[in-house]
Amino acid sequence: AGLGGGYDDGRGLGMDDYGVGAGIYGEYPGGVTPLQQGAGVQPSRPAPRAVFVEDEPRTVTASTNNLQHSPAMHGMAGVPSVQYRDPDLGEVIEFLSNPCSVIQANACAYLQHLCYMDDPVKARTRQLGGIPPIIELLNTEIPEIHRPACGALRNLSFGRQNDENKRAIKEAGGIAALVKLLRRSADNEVKELVTGVLWNLSSCDDLKRTIIDECLLVLVSGVIVPHSGWERSGGPGADTHWTTVFRNSSGILRNVSSAGDYGRKKLRECDGLVESLLYLVRNAIERANIDNKSVENAVCVLRNLSYRAQEVEDPNYDKRQQLPAGETPRSAARPNTENLGCFGASKGKGGAANGKGGSSSNNGSMPSSSQGGGSGIRAVAGTGVTGTGMDLLWQPEVVQPYLNLLSNCSNPETLEAAAGAIQNLSACYWQPSVDIRAAVRKEKGLPILVELLRMEVDRVVCAVATALRNLAIDQRNKELIGKYAMRDLVQKLPSGNPQRDVGTSDDTIAAVLATLNEVIKKHPEFSRSLMEAGGVDRLINITRQRAKYSSRVVKFASQVLFSMWQHQELREVYRKSGWKESDFVTKTVAARNARPNSPTHLNSTLNRPMASQGGTRYEDRTMVRGGGGGQQQAAAVAVAGSHHAANNIQNQYHADNLPMENLSLYGGAPAQRIYSQGTHLPPEHQY
């Protein structure tokens, strides 16, 4: 008895479902693989059948229409006693424990096919006890079994609806077995599949801690460090290996880096991880290869590890009332005359906008270009930075690569993560955050961020607006943002025109309002600028549509209006423009500001710096069939009046730009290869 046919692999939080033809050893390119012709199984033929010889104990019942005589199937061509029928799911699971390795491999392959895009079958497989025998097959020494076994696990673990399957894999010892297989296998294809399964599993919050405990060291020492090209010895380093194994492994770390303070602590302390990720990012920048999935994953990990950075010194730093360090006159935050023109007053607009201007610091402590470079940690060492490991996360020099990505990258996920990293690093009260806020200004980062406010991708605008709010804690940054960014900020507020007010989330509106409040509350000249930019009408419009906007947004808008009214020298200007006190101050807002915990208090929601981390991203996005995906992605990142749309557009996402194909394994039409051999489709991203 045997099971024939192809198999398909699944993606879940990271990996794509895909179908494979040509028997149990069909190729695994990491995405959709059309059924191959001329390899023993023609795509126009029926699905593989279980085969039983007539004299076997099991009785085969089949209608006349189901009896077929295949000219060739597993060497049994022309044998009149062979009959074919579809095995049911229970029989397939029984085959997993068959002593014949070929039958075991075929059973895994066929189970993979049955589970393809079929959540009820995945659940039924778990209920019938199909997961433990697959895990057992990982312990064999036969690579031809490892491949379909891992493929079946990938399909079984794909999808947010299948967390029970992910837990079942863990309970059956699957995580330990996968890590063991990753350690001992020399087969790169098996490593791709193993890391694919682990990426799927890492999407389940319940499993993140287990994956950190059992997989982190193996992934970092066995994949991340060697594939990144970073040298532990401090040598010049090597080229990054942009492999599927690295992409999958960085995706796993991206997911588990959002597993609370435990996950952040473990990843920050993992030897070589931060250095390798920073080296990879700098290397990618030097080679203009910044739009791929591995860079995206790496920056997302760095963003999450920068979240609540001050907790390494004081886990409860944000639970106490305190003045942000940037509000006090400290030398690290003091501007010098070289910095005053970072929006173009003393430097050419082109240089500032592109983040390529020379250093504006006289002391030589900052690198001269935000281009970064492929020298990785060597570039950091050249500036006198003595920190290693997690300390590199919040050194001022880390601003360079983030700004370069924000200037040149066309991948919205990477843009969001880079802006989020700056947001997080500037959100704390300790000295490193003071230095980061000054470094962004010195490296001409403010105009880069302001330009990104014009993007149509809401999550990028939200991260950028929040970063500007935190950077405005620095007095000089506040002045520059108020002087040069006011109109861009106001344009992100809803205008009251339903046709124009589309696509901006409440989170983004709240971030813009928080930035405006930070800028105007002690500066009447910026309050006047806000009025002249049409901000008052937009703010009043928000406060009068409580059913449309969240209470947080309405509260923030009311508070900005209240802050504007506090500038007594402007009240007559407001009145001449047609507004009255009741437009700015309502009884509710006045009462709220009279309380001890008023919005003007340092630790109110509006006045605290804002930090965020990326959560797990799920895979339920629909990508169009055919070649239109790249054009849609390119359109999504178009920036009005900026250079972003032109940069990297022709190779945007590289191979990752290919669409996912929902191919049936046994379609009637001949299948065509939709990409060259060795090209890999992207997994769905996640943090």
Side-chain angles (χ1 to χ4, degrees), residues 339 341-343 351-358 360 366 370 399-400 402-404 406-407 419 422 436-453 464 467-468 471 477 480-481 644:
N339 293 331
C342 80
F343 272 81
N354 287 298
K356 298 176 183 176
S360 56
M366 296 298 297
S370 61
V399 166
Q400 267 193 343
Y402 292 144
L403 292 179
N404 187 288
L406 290 171
S407 294
I422 292 176
I436 290 291
R437 290 191 282 266
V440 172
R441 178 179 69 255
K442 294 173 184 177
E443 288 298 309
K444 314 296 187 198
L446 293 177
I448 296 172
L449 290 164
V450 171
E451 183 180 353
L452 284 168
L453 289 172
V464 167
L468 287 171
L471 292 168
N477 287 348
L480 291 167
I481 292 169
H644 279 79

mmCIF file of all heavy atoms in Angstrom, residues 339 341-343 351-358 360 366 370 399-400 402-404 406-407 419 422 436-453 464 467-468 471 477 480-481 644:
data_model
loop_
_atom_site.group_PDB
_atom_site.id
_atom_site.type_symbol
_atom_site.label_atom_id
_atom_site.label_comp_id
_atom_site.label_asym_id
_atom_site.label_seq_id
_atom_site.Cartn_x
_atom_site.Cartn_y
_atom_site.Cartn_z
ATOM 1 N N ASN A 339 23.161 74.200 14.163
ATOM 2 C CA ASN A 339 21.968 73.367 14.048
ATOM 3 C C ASN A 339 20.717 74.156 13.688
ATOM 4 O O ASN A 339 19.677 73.569 13.451
ATOM 5 C CB ASN A 339 21.702 72.651 15.380
ATOM 6 C CG ASN A 339 22.782 71.655 15.692
ATOM 7 O OD1 ASN A 339 23.388 71.097 14.805
ATOM 8 N ND2 ASN A 339 23.018 71.450 16.983
ATOM 9 N N GLY A 341 19.599 75.735 11.214
ATOM 10 C CA GLY A 341 18.993 75.748 9.893
ATOM 11 C C GLY A 341 18.663 74.380 9.349
ATOM 12 O O GLY A 341 18.778 74.169 8.155
ATOM 13 N N CYS A 342 18.284 73.456 10.202
ATOM 14 C CA CYS A 342 18.131 72.091 9.720
ATOM 15 C C CYS A 342 16.926 71.919 8.821
ATOM 16 O O CYS A 342 16.757 70.880 8.199
ATOM 17 C CB CYS A 342 18.070 71.097 10.871
ATOM 18 S SG CYS A 342 16.482 71.000 11.652
ATOM 19 N N PHE A 343 16.055 72.967 8.709
ATOM 20 C CA PHE A 343 14.963 72.883 7.753
ATOM 21 C C PHE A 343 15.294 73.668 6.490
ATOM 22 O O PHE A 343 14.432 73.958 5.685
ATOM 23 C CB PHE A 343 13.660 73.418 8.356
ATOM 24 C CG PHE A 343 12.880 72.373 9.077
ATOM 25 C CD1 PHE A 343 13.216 72.010 10.363
ATOM 26 C CD2 PHE A 343 11.829 71.721 8.464
ATOM 27 C CE1 PHE A 343 12.500 71.043 11.029
ATOM 28 C CE2 PHE A 343 11.108 70.752 9.125
ATOM 29 C CZ PHE A 343 11.452 70.416 10.401
ATOM 30 N N GLY A 351 19.959 68.885 0.247
ATOM 31 C CA GLY A 351 20.790 68.093 1.141
ATOM 32 C C GLY A 351 20.061 67.711 2.395
ATOM 33 O O GLY A 351 20.164 66.592 2.873
ATOM 34 N N ALA A 352 19.287 68.668 2.955
ATOM 35 C CA ALA A 352 18.576 68.347 4.178
ATOM 36 C C ALA A 352 17.499 67.333 3.946
ATOM 37 O O ALA A 352 17.319 66.411 4.708
ATOM 38 C CB ALA A 352 17.982 69.632 4.765
ATOM 39 N N ALA A 353 16.763 67.490 2.879
ATOM 40 C CA ALA A 353 15.645 66.593 2.636
ATOM 41 C C ALA A 353 16.091 65.180 2.402
ATOM 42 O O ALA A 353 15.388 64.239 2.708
ATOM 43 C CB ALA A 353 14.833 67.094 1.437
ATOM 44 N N ASN A 354 17.293 65.046 1.866
ATOM 45 C CA ASN A 354 17.762 63.707 1.584
ATOM 46 C C ASN A 354 18.564 63.118 2.723
ATOM 47 O O ASN A 354 19.024 61.989 2.643
ATOM 48 C CB ASN A 354 18.611 63.700 0.306
ATOM 49 C CG ASN A 354 17.767 63.859 -0.927
ATOM 50 O OD1 ASN A 354 16.923 63.013 -1.207
ATOM 51 N ND2 ASN A 354 17.967 64.936 -1.666
ATOM 52 N N GLY A 355 18.751 63.904 3.778
ATOM 53 C CA GLY A 355 19.492 63.368 4.912
ATOM 54 C C GLY A 355 20.939 63.127 4.605
ATOM 55 O O GLY A 355 21.585 62.295 5.216
ATOM 56 N N LYS A 356 21.522 63.865 3.630
ATOM 57 C CA LYS A 356 22.885 63.587 3.215
ATOM 58 C C LYS A 356 23.821 64.747 3.524
ATOM 59 O O LYS A 356 24.961 64.763 3.100
ATOM 60 C CB LYS A 356 22.912 63.279 1.705
ATOM 61 C CG LYS A 356 22.098 62.049 1.342
ATOM 62 C CD LYS A 356 22.066 61.828 -0.147
ATOM 63 C CE LYS A 356 21.193 60.631 -0.497
ATOM 64 N NZ LYS A 356 21.049 60.430 -1.947
ATOM 65 N N GLY A 357 23.319 65.725 4.269
ATOM 66 C CA GLY A 357 24.149 66.866 4.571
ATOM 67 C C GLY A 357 25.260 66.507 5.524
ATOM 68 O O GLY A 357 25.245 65.501 6.209
ATOM 69 N N GLY A 358 26.267 67.372 5.581
ATOM 70 C CA GLY A 358 27.374 67.114 6.476
ATOM 71 C C GLY A 358 26.960 67.277 7.915
ATOM 72 O O GLY A 358 25.910 67.796 8.244
ATOM 73 N N SER A 360 26.494 68.741 11.486
ATOM 74 C CA SER A 360 26.350 70.115 11.956
ATOM 75 C C SER A 360 26.924 70.292 13.344
ATOM 76 O O SER A 360 26.727 71.284 13.983
ATOM 77 C CB SER A 360 24.866 70.491 11.953
ATOM 78 O OG SER A 360 24.129 69.565 12.724
ATOM 79 N N MET A 366 29.352 63.313 15.980
ATOM 80 C CA MET A 366 28.360 62.670 15.131
ATOM 81 C C MET A 366 28.965 62.363 13.774
ATOM 82 O O MET A 366 29.767 63.131 13.268
ATOM 83 C CB MET A 366 27.143 63.583 14.952
ATOM 84 C CG MET A 366 26.402 63.866 16.229
ATOM 85 S SD MET A 366 25.737 62.383 16.965
ATOM 86 C CE MET A 366 24.589 61.873 15.704
ATOM 87 N N SER A 370 24.179 60.750 7.012
ATOM 88 C CA SER A 370 23.166 59.796 7.441
ATOM 89 C C SER A 370 23.067 58.626 6.484
ATOM 90 O O SER A 370 22.133 57.858 6.534
ATOM 91 C CB SER A 370 21.799 60.491 7.552
ATOM 92 O OG SER A 370 21.418 60.995 6.299
ATOM 93 N N VAL A 399 20.912 56.719 14.949
ATOM 94 C CA VAL A 399 19.975 57.574 14.219
ATOM 95 C C VAL A 399 20.271 57.550 12.719
ATOM 96 O O VAL A 399 19.365 57.619 11.885
ATOM 97 C CB VAL A 399 20.040 59.013 14.771
ATOM 98 C CG1 VAL A 399 19.345 59.999 13.842
ATOM 99 C CG2 VAL A 399 19.425 59.062 16.163
ATOM 100 N N GLN A 400 21.566 57.470 12.366
ATOM 101 C CA GLN A 400 21.965 57.519 10.956
ATOM 102 C C GLN A 400 21.238 56.510 10.077
ATOM 103 O O GLN A 400 20.593 56.895 9.093
ATOM 104 C CB GLN A 400 23.473 57.284 10.853
ATOM 105 C CG GLN A 400 24.312 58.525 10.854
ATOM 106 C CD GLN A 400 25.737 58.208 10.435
ATOM 107 O OE1 GLN A 400 26.169 57.056 10.441
ATOM 108 N NE2 GLN A 400 26.465 59.227 10.072
ATOM 109 N N TYR A 402 18.570 54.770 10.573
ATOM 110 C CA TYR A 402 17.124 54.957 10.573
ATOM 111 C C TYR A 402 16.719 56.100 9.639
ATOM 112 O O TYR A 402 15.753 55.988 8.877
ATOM 113 C CB TYR A 402 16.612 55.233 11.984
ATOM 114 C CG TYR A 402 16.726 54.061 12.926
ATOM 115 C CD1 TYR A 402 17.025 54.239 14.271
ATOM 116 C CD2 TYR A 402 16.528 52.757 12.485
ATOM 117 C CE1 TYR A 402 17.124 53.169 15.145
ATOM 118 C CE2 TYR A 402 16.628 51.677 13.346
ATOM 119 C CZ TYR A 402 16.929 51.895 14.676
ATOM 120 O OH TYR A 402 17.027 50.830 15.536
ATOM 121 N N LEU A 403 17.450 57.206 9.690
ATOM 122 C CA LEU A 403 17.125 58.330 8.818
ATOM 123 C C LEU A 403 17.367 57.988 7.357
ATOM 124 O O LEU A 403 16.632 58.436 6.467
ATOM 125 C CB LEU A 403 17.945 59.564 9.217
ATOM 126 C CG LEU A 403 17.594 60.187 10.573
ATOM 127 C CD1 LEU A 403 18.494 61.378 10.853
ATOM 128 C CD2 LEU A 403 16.130 60.602 10.630
ATOM 129 N N ASN A 404 18.402 57.205 7.078
ATOM 130 C CA ASN A 404 18.650 56.796 5.702
ATOM 131 C C ASN A 404 17.486 55.972 5.161
ATOM 132 O O ASN A 404 17.032 56.174 4.029
ATOM 133 C CB ASN A 404 19.955 55.998 5.615
ATOM 134 C CG ASN A 404 20.333 55.689 4.181
ATOM 135 O OD1 ASN A 404 19.705 54.855 3.530
ATOM 136 N ND2 ASN A 404 21.361 56.359 3.687
ATOM 137 N N LEU A 406 14.417 56.088 6.216
ATOM 138 C CA LEU A 406 13.267 56.980 6.067
ATOM 139 C C LEU A 406 13.385 57.845 4.813
ATOM 140 O O LEU A 406 12.380 58.253 4.235
ATOM 141 C CB LEU A 406 13.130 57.870 7.303
ATOM 142 C CG LEU A 406 12.695 57.151 8.587
ATOM 143 C CD1 LEU A 406 12.817 58.081 9.790
ATOM 144 C CD2 LEU A 406 11.270 56.626 8.471
ATOM 145 N N SER A 407 14.609 58.120 4.373
ATOM 146 C CA SER A 407 14.813 58.931 3.176
ATOM 147 C C SER A 407 14.646 58.133 1.897
ATOM 148 O O SER A 407 14.163 58.657 0.889
ATOM 149 C CB SER A 407 16.227 59.534 3.182
ATOM 150 O OG SER A 407 16.377 60.448 4.228
ATOM 151 N N ALA A 419 10.646 54.810 11.759
ATOM 152 C CA ALA A 419 10.068 55.945 12.489
ATOM 153 C C ALA A 419 9.698 55.539 13.906
ATOM 154 O O ALA A 419 9.865 56.321 14.853
ATOM 155 C CB ALA A 419 8.834 56.470 11.748
ATOM 156 N N ILE A 422 12.796 55.596 16.185
ATOM 157 C CA ILE A 422 13.118 56.958 16.635
ATOM 158 C C ILE A 422 12.090 57.421 17.662
ATOM 159 O O ILE A 422 12.434 58.058 18.676
ATOM 160 C CB ILE A 422 13.164 57.909 15.421
ATOM 161 C CG1 ILE A 422 14.364 57.560 14.536
ATOM 162 C CG2 ILE A 422 13.233 59.362 15.871
ATOM 163 C CD1 ILE A 422 14.453 58.380 13.260
ATOM 164 N N ILE A 436 19.498 61.292 21.763
ATOM 165 C CA ILE A 436 18.839 60.888 20.517
ATOM 166 C C ILE A 436 18.052 62.057 19.935
ATOM 167 O O ILE A 436 18.084 62.314 18.722
ATOM 168 C CB ILE A 436 17.905 59.681 20.768
ATOM 169 C CG1 ILE A 436 18.714 58.413 21.059
ATOM 170 C CG2 ILE A 436 16.969 59.477 19.582
ATOM 171 C CD1 ILE A 436 19.481 57.866 19.881
ATOM 172 N N ARG A 437 17.334 62.792 20.787
ATOM 173 C CA ARG A 437 16.542 63.925 20.298
ATOM 174 C C ARG A 437 17.448 64.973 19.649
ATOM 175 O O ARG A 437 17.098 65.559 18.612
ATOM 176 C CB ARG A 437 15.724 64.527 21.437
ATOM 177 C CG ARG A 437 14.590 63.629 21.912
ATOM 178 C CD ARG A 437 13.640 64.334 22.848
ATOM 179 N NE ARG A 437 14.158 64.464 24.199
ATOM 180 C CZ ARG A 437 13.911 63.616 25.203
ATOM 181 N NH1 ARG A 437 13.140 62.556 24.985
ATOM 182 N NH2 ARG A 437 14.408 63.823 26.398
ATOM 183 N N ALA A 438 18.611 65.208 20.251
ATOM 184 C CA ALA A 438 19.559 66.158 19.654
ATOM 185 C C ALA A 438 20.180 65.589 18.382
ATOM 186 O O ALA A 438 20.390 66.314 17.402
ATOM 187 C CB ALA A 438 20.644 66.505 20.667
ATOM 188 N N ALA A 439 20.452 64.284 18.381
ATOM 189 C CA ALA A 439 21.097 63.667 17.221
ATOM 190 C C ALA A 439 20.205 63.730 15.988
ATOM 191 O O ALA A 439 20.692 63.938 14.869
ATOM 192 C CB ALA A 439 21.462 62.215 17.538
ATOM 193 N N VAL A 440 18.906 63.536 16.167
ATOM 194 C CA VAL A 440 17.997 63.607 15.019
ATOM 195 C C VAL A 440 18.058 64.996 14.400
ATOM 196 O O VAL A 440 18.060 65.143 13.164
ATOM 197 C CB VAL A 440 16.558 63.250 15.445
ATOM 198 C CG1 VAL A 440 15.576 63.511 14.307
ATOM 199 C CG2 VAL A 440 16.470 61.791 15.878
ATOM 200 N N ARG A 441 18.122 66.012 15.209
ATOM 201 C CA ARG A 441 18.223 67.373 14.689
ATOM 202 C C ARG A 441 19.557 67.583 13.978
ATOM 203 O O ARG A 441 19.607 68.105 12.859
ATOM 204 C CB ARG A 441 18.071 68.389 15.820
ATOM 205 C CG ARG A 441 18.202 69.840 15.373
ATOM 206 C CD ARG A 441 18.023 70.818 16.515
ATOM 207 N NE ARG A 441 19.132 70.773 17.472
ATOM 208 C CZ ARG A 441 19.062 70.207 18.672
ATOM 209 N NH1 ARG A 441 17.944 69.620 19.064
ATOM 210 N NH2 ARG A 441 20.105 70.220 19.493
ATOM 211 N N LYS A 442 20.640 67.164 14.611
ATOM 212 C CA LYS A 442 21.973 67.377 14.032
ATOM 213 C C LYS A 442 22.158 66.625 12.720
ATOM 214 O O LYS A 442 22.889 67.074 11.837
ATOM 215 C CB LYS A 442 23.039 66.938 15.033
ATOM 216 C CG LYS A 442 23.090 67.786 16.287
ATOM 217 C CD LYS A 442 24.047 67.195 17.305
ATOM 218 C CE LYS A 442 24.036 67.985 18.604
ATOM 219 N NZ LYS A 442 24.920 67.377 19.632
ATOM 220 N N GLU A 443 21.490 65.502 12.601
ATOM 221 C CA GLU A 443 21.609 64.691 11.381
ATOM 222 C C GLU A 443 20.563 65.066 10.336
ATOM 223 O O GLU A 443 20.319 64.303 9.400
ATOM 224 C CB GLU A 443 21.480 63.207 11.734
ATOM 225 C CG GLU A 443 22.663 62.632 12.467
ATOM 226 C CD GLU A 443 23.934 62.693 11.634
ATOM 227 O OE1 GLU A 443 23.914 62.238 10.473
ATOM 228 O OE2 GLU A 443 24.946 63.194 12.146
ATOM 229 N N LYS A 444 19.962 66.249 10.478
ATOM 230 C CA LYS A 444 18.983 66.743 9.507
ATOM 231 C C LYS A 444 17.773 65.812 9.404
ATOM 232 O O LYS A 444 17.192 65.634 8.322
ATOM 233 C CB LYS A 444 19.615 66.917 8.115
ATOM 234 C CG LYS A 444 20.953 67.621 8.096
ATOM 235 C CD LYS A 444 20.833 69.051 8.585
ATOM 236 C CE LYS A 444 22.170 69.768 8.388
ATOM 237 N NZ LYS A 444 22.281 70.983 9.186
ATOM 238 N N GLY A 445 17.376 65.224 10.524
ATOM 239 C CA GLY A 445 16.285 64.259 10.493
ATOM 240 C C GLY A 445 14.900 64.864 10.527
ATOM 241 O O GLY A 445 13.938 64.252 10.061
ATOM 242 N N LEU A 446 14.764 66.075 11.066
ATOM 243 C CA LEU A 446 13.429 66.663 11.191
ATOM 244 C C LEU A 446 12.751 66.879 9.835
ATOM 245 O O LEU A 446 11.577 66.528 9.672
ATOM 246 C CB LEU A 446 13.508 67.971 11.987
ATOM 247 C CG LEU A 446 13.891 67.806 13.475
ATOM 248 C CD1 LEU A 446 14.020 69.180 14.138
ATOM 249 C CD2 LEU A 446 12.865 66.956 14.206
ATOM 250 N N PRO A 447 13.427 67.449 8.842
ATOM 251 C CA PRO A 447 12.738 67.609 7.547
ATOM 252 C C PRO A 447 12.385 66.286 6.886
ATOM 253 O O PRO A 447 11.392 66.202 6.159
ATOM 254 C CB PRO A 447 13.740 68.412 6.704
ATOM 255 C CG PRO A 447 15.050 68.262 7.387
ATOM 256 C CD PRO A 447 14.759 68.096 8.829
ATOM 257 N N ILE A 448 13.175 65.258 7.141
ATOM 258 C CA ILE A 448 12.852 63.944 6.585
ATOM 259 C C ILE A 448 11.547 63.446 7.177
ATOM 260 O O ILE A 448 10.660 62.939 6.467
ATOM 261 C CB ILE A 448 13.996 62.944 6.880
ATOM 262 C CG1 ILE A 448 15.278 63.369 6.167
ATOM 263 C CG2 ILE A 448 13.606 61.529 6.464
ATOM 264 C CD1 ILE A 448 16.504 62.547 6.561
ATOM 265 N N LEU A 449 11.392 63.599 8.482
ATOM 266 C CA LEU A 449 10.171 63.153 9.148
ATOM 267 C C LEU A 449 8.965 63.983 8.716
ATOM 268 O O LEU A 449 7.878 63.445 8.463
ATOM 269 C CB LEU A 449 10.352 63.223 10.665
ATOM 270 C CG LEU A 449 11.327 62.202 11.260
ATOM 271 C CD1 LEU A 449 11.725 62.598 12.682
ATOM 272 C CD2 LEU A 449 10.710 60.813 11.257
ATOM 273 N N VAL A 450 9.148 65.287 8.619
ATOM 274 C CA VAL A 450 8.032 66.148 8.229
ATOM 275 C C VAL A 450 7.563 65.806 6.822
ATOM 276 O O VAL A 450 6.355 65.778 6.536
ATOM 277 C CB VAL A 450 8.441 67.633 8.328
ATOM 278 C CG1 VAL A 450 7.373 68.539 7.717
ATOM 279 C CG2 VAL A 450 8.680 68.015 9.791
ATOM 280 N N GLU A 451 8.492 65.521 5.928
ATOM 281 C CA GLU A 451 8.106 65.165 4.570
ATOM 282 C C GLU A 451 7.260 63.893 4.544
ATOM 283 O O GLU A 451 6.330 63.764 3.750
ATOM 284 C CB GLU A 451 9.356 64.968 3.710
ATOM 285 C CG GLU A 451 9.048 64.659 2.255
ATOM 286 C CD GLU A 451 10.301 64.469 1.429
ATOM 287 O OE1 GLU A 451 11.406 64.703 1.958
ATOM 288 O OE2 GLU A 451 10.169 64.074 0.265
ATOM 289 N N LEU A 452 7.556 62.973 5.440
ATOM 290 C CA LEU A 452 6.804 61.714 5.473
ATOM 291 C C LEU A 452 5.373 61.902 5.963
ATOM 292 O O LEU A 452 4.542 61.006 5.796
ATOM 293 C CB LEU A 452 7.537 60.696 6.358
ATOM 294 C CG LEU A 452 8.772 60.059 5.722
ATOM 295 C CD1 LEU A 452 9.591 59.313 6.770
ATOM 296 C CD2 LEU A 452 8.383 59.117 4.594
ATOM 297 N N LEU A 453 5.068 63.042 6.570
ATOM 298 C CA LEU A 453 3.680 63.319 6.948
ATOM 299 C C LEU A 453 2.778 63.376 5.725
ATOM 300 O O LEU A 453 1.560 63.219 5.840
ATOM 301 C CB LEU A 453 3.589 64.645 7.702
ATOM 302 C CG LEU A 453 4.169 64.693 9.116
ATOM 303 C CD1 LEU A 453 4.160 66.121 9.637
ATOM 304 C CD2 LEU A 453 3.398 63.773 10.056
ATOM 305 N N VAL A 464 5.424 58.568 12.376
ATOM 306 C CA VAL A 464 6.197 59.794 12.162
ATOM 307 C C VAL A 464 5.673 60.918 13.051
ATOM 308 O O VAL A 464 6.457 61.648 13.690
ATOM 309 C CB VAL A 464 6.141 60.197 10.677
ATOM 310 C CG1 VAL A 464 6.659 61.612 10.481
ATOM 311 C CG2 VAL A 464 6.943 59.212 9.829
ATOM 312 N N ALA A 467 6.737 60.330 16.548
ATOM 313 C CA ALA A 467 8.162 60.615 16.705
ATOM 314 C C ALA A 467 8.397 62.118 16.824
ATOM 315 O O ALA A 467 9.190 62.575 17.672
ATOM 316 C CB ALA A 467 8.942 60.037 15.521
ATOM 317 N N LEU A 468 7.723 62.905 16.004
ATOM 318 C CA LEU A 468 7.865 64.361 16.094
ATOM 319 C C LEU A 468 7.389 64.881 17.437
ATOM 320 O O LEU A 468 8.000 65.800 18.004
ATOM 321 C CB LEU A 468 7.066 65.027 14.964
ATOM 322 C CG LEU A 468 7.658 64.891 13.556
ATOM 323 C CD1 LEU A 468 6.664 65.388 12.513
ATOM 324 C CD2 LEU A 468 8.977 65.655 13.439
ATOM 325 N N LEU A 471 10.207 64.116 19.844
ATOM 326 C CA LEU A 471 11.374 64.946 19.547
ATOM 327 C C LEU A 471 11.149 66.392 19.984
ATOM 328 O O LEU A 471 12.107 67.105 20.294
ATOM 329 C CB LEU A 471 11.680 64.887 18.049
ATOM 330 C CG LEU A 471 12.177 63.537 17.519
ATOM 331 C CD1 LEU A 471 12.157 63.524 15.998
ATOM 332 C CD2 LEU A 471 13.571 63.219 18.049
ATOM 333 N N ASN A 477 14.218 71.487 18.911
ATOM 334 C CA ASN A 477 13.355 70.721 18.001
ATOM 335 C C ASN A 477 11.951 71.302 17.967
ATOM 336 O O ASN A 477 11.320 71.410 16.913
ATOM 337 C CB ASN A 477 13.285 69.259 18.437
ATOM 338 C CG ASN A 477 14.563 68.496 18.154
ATOM 339 O OD1 ASN A 477 15.436 68.976 17.431
ATOM 340 N ND2 ASN A 477 14.669 67.307 18.720
ATOM 341 N N LEU A 480 11.814 74.364 15.812
ATOM 342 C CA LEU A 480 11.930 74.064 14.387
ATOM 343 C C LEU A 480 10.661 73.409 13.842
ATOM 344 O O LEU A 480 10.215 73.715 12.736
ATOM 345 C CB LEU A 480 13.142 73.162 14.154
ATOM 346 C CG LEU A 480 14.494 73.840 14.391
ATOM 347 C CD1 LEU A 480 15.605 72.802 14.457
ATOM 348 C CD2 LEU A 480 14.786 74.857 13.300
ATOM 349 N N ILE A 481 10.085 72.512 14.630
ATOM 350 C CA ILE A 481 8.838 71.863 14.202
ATOM 351 C C ILE A 481 7.722 72.903 14.105
ATOM 352 O O ILE A 481 6.940 72.921 13.154
ATOM 353 C CB ILE A 481 8.463 70.732 15.176
ATOM 354 C CG1 ILE A 481 9.481 69.591 15.068
ATOM 355 C CG2 ILE A 481 7.057 70.211 14.890
ATOM 356 C CD1 ILE A 481 9.349 68.541 16.160
ATOM 357 N N HIS A 644 10.301 60.012 -2.514
ATOM 358 C CA HIS A 644 10.152 58.627 -2.067
ATOM 359 C C HIS A 644 9.613 57.718 -3.160
ATOM 360 O O HIS A 644 10.026 56.582 -3.281
ATOM 361 C CB HIS A 644 9.217 58.559 -0.852
ATOM 362 C CG HIS A 644 9.913 58.905 0.415
ATOM 363 N ND1 HIS A 644 10.172 60.202 0.758
ATOM 364 C CD2 HIS A 644 10.429 58.120 1.403
ATOM 365 C CE1 HIS A 644 10.803 60.214 1.922
ATOM 366 N NE2 HIS A 644 10.969 58.981 2.326
#
